[in-house]
Amino acid sequence: MEFDKKQHWENVFATKKETEVSWYQKKPETSLQFFERNEIPKNAKILEIGGGDSYLIDNLLEQGYESITLLDISENAIERIKKRLGEKAEKVHFVVSDILDFSPSEKFDVINDRASFHFLTKEEDIQKYATLMSEILGENGLYFVGTFSESGPLKCSGLEITQYSKEKFLKIFGTHFSQLHSFEEVHKTPFETTQNFIFCEFQKKM
């Protein structure tokens, strides 16, 4: 029986509170620093991938960002964040989709993916994702990605993941992107455990 990825995530967001998942962050400082470091303008077209319980959207709206798209495979995740945002949800474009099936009509200036990409474990899916990032980012667009590092966990939410290093990222994205910045960081979970992440910042080549 083939694994149903969507059903898995619908179940996660239907049965667990936001503080009962390892990726919970009340304030996603690392992603926010990326926006600050690059002086990303308030009218930039932003895509947040797998943003189910992320508080990045809340913070970006507070800072005045005007064009935000949040994509998640789980409808339950989308409904949960809409409820949390209240009236502010009207300022966000929500998309329920697997990222590999995403086919937007516009290009983005910025793409943020914290802990979604590493759930892709098949080589063809990883390559499809990399090609998609290049296709949907506009000229000089920025892509910020965070995954478990080679010192991080081997699984998340009961699923196997792919660990990454700076070199591994370059091998996948180097054809279409220049790597601007790379660093590792320890994430403290709500359960008082730690997970080692690697973050990479890319810019689309001309």
Side-chain angles (χ1 to χ4, degrees):
M1 185 174 175
E2 189 177 345
F3 173 69
D4 189 330
K5 184 164 50 171
K6 179 174 171 59
Q7 188 55 48
H8 172 84
W9 291 111
E10 293 293 9
N11 185 58
V12 167
F13 287 102
T15 59
K16 291 183 181 289
K17 296 176 183 176
E18 62 178 19
T19 53
E20 293 176 336
V21 293
S22 65
W23 54 84
Y24 173 75
Q25 284 181 312
K26 187 67 177 179
K27 190 160 188 180
E29 295 284 3
T30 307
S31 292
L32 290 170
Q33 287 165 8
F34 157 74
F35 278 83
E36 187 178 328
R37 183 167 58 248
N38 289 284
E39 299 180 339
I40 292 168
K42 297 295 189 280
N43 63 350
K45 290 186 172 71
I46 299 162
L47 173 65
E48 165 80 344
I49 299 173
D53 266 337
S54 170
Y55 275 77
L56 178 63
I57 301 302
D58 312 57
N59 284 273
L60 292 179
L61 288 173
E62 281 178 22
Q63 291 180 19
Y65 283 91
E66 305 162 358
S67 182
I68 303 170
T69 298
L70 188 151
L71 177 145
D72 201 287
I73 195 171
S74 167
E75 195 161 350
N76 287 330
I78 296 287
E79 288 307 312
R80 197 148 93 176
I81 195 169
K82 280 183 178 179
K83 187 176 180 181
R84 190 179 78 218
L85 288 172
E87 291 181 1
K88 291 180 183 176
E90 295 174 12
K91 298 179 179 180
V92 180
H93 178 53
F94 294 96
V95 179
V96 179
S97 174
D98 185 322
I99 183 58
L100 297 179
D101 298 327
F102 187 45
S103 181
S105 57
E106 62 177 356
K107 290 187 183 291
F108 297 93
D109 301 307
V110 178
I111 297 177
N112 183 80
D113 180 339
R114 177 187 177 272
S116 176
F117 175 54
H118 66 194
F119 283 106
L120 300 180
T121 55
K122 295 178 182 175
E123 187 61 32
E124 60 265 36
D125 289 344
I126 291 168
Q127 291 304 323
K128 184 176 180 180
Y129 175 102
T131 300
L132 179 65
M133 291 304 101
S134 174
E135 290 174 349
I136 67 178
L137 258 181
E139 192 174 312
N140 293 321
L142 293 171
Y143 168 59
F144 190 53
V145 59
T147 69
F148 287 158
S149 75
E150 291 182 334
S151 304
L154 293 168
K155 285 189 172 185
C156 182
S157 189
L159 303 179
E160 291 186 358
I161 59 89
T162 303
Q163 296 176 321
Y164 285 93
S165 63
K166 178 181 178 180
E167 292 74 24
K168 202 167 178 180
F169 271 125
L170 265 175
K171 188 176 179 183
I172 294 167
F173 295 101
T175 303
H176 301 293
F177 293 89
S178 299
Q179 193 176 67
L180 304 179
H181 195 40
S182 175
F183 58 94
E184 291 192 19
E185 184 176 279
V186 175
H187 165 63
K188 192 172 182 180
T189 74
F191 325 122
E192 299 299 316
T193 58
T194 57
Q195 299 172 330
N196 197 262
F197 271 78
I198 181 167
F199 288 89
C200 282
E201 190 174 306
F202 292 94
Q203 185 164 38
K204 187 176 175 181
K205 291 179 180 177
M206 296 287 283

